[in-house]
Amino acid sequence: MVATNVGGAREAIIEGETGYLAPPGDYEMMAARITELLRNPERARSMGRRGRHVVEQKFSPAAQLAQTEQLYDRLLALVKVRSPFASSLVGGHYFLPWV
């Protein structure tokens, strides 16, 4: 993969391992990287396989769910420590009266 180094691209692409990042507006670098991968299809396939693995690990629905659950666990731990309402349990979960 060849992408412009903006937004979320740098989260998914590890430079030289899962693809290449070109600075915004650097069309010559982008063209050179694309040409390099076209000339070396095995390298392109290898980067693609590694890139797919990274995306599945970071961005799959299961990974997103796990990250969301971890965030909720951290937030609930903070509420438990700081909130006078934290000892109130409703259905086995913390009751947050302001929600």
Side-chain angles (χ1 to χ4, degrees):
M1 173 180 290
V2 179
T4 305
N5 191 4
V6 295
R10 65 183 72 102
E11 291 181 49
I13 298 174
I14 301 167
E15 180 65 29
E17 185 178 324
T18 62
Y20 294 115
L21 293 168
D26 192 341
Y27 307 110
E28 289 181 13
M29 178 184 272
M30 183 162 286
R33 295 298 195 181
I34 292 169
T35 301
E36 176 186 336
L37 292 176
L38 288 171
R39 289 183 177 158
N40 190 342
E42 183 50 42
R43 179 160 175 76
R45 278 190 289 277
S46 176
M47 285 181 149
R49 283 190 296 271
R50 284 181 267 160
R52 181 181 181 122
H53 179 74
V54 168
V55 168
E56 288 172 348
Q57 293 297 311
K58 289 184 175 182
F59 305 108
S60 70
Q64 294 296 306
L65 176 60
Q67 291 173 18
T68 301
E69 288 175 339
Q70 289 170 6
L71 173 62
Y72 287 168
D73 289 343
R74 287 194 310 270
L75 292 173
L76 287 172
L78 289 173
V79 169
K80 183 178 180 182
V81 170
R82 297 182 183 168
S83 172
F85 302 105
S87 61
S88 302
L89 290 175
V90 175
H93 300 285
Y94 289 107
F95 172 64
L96 305 175
W98 58 88
V99 175

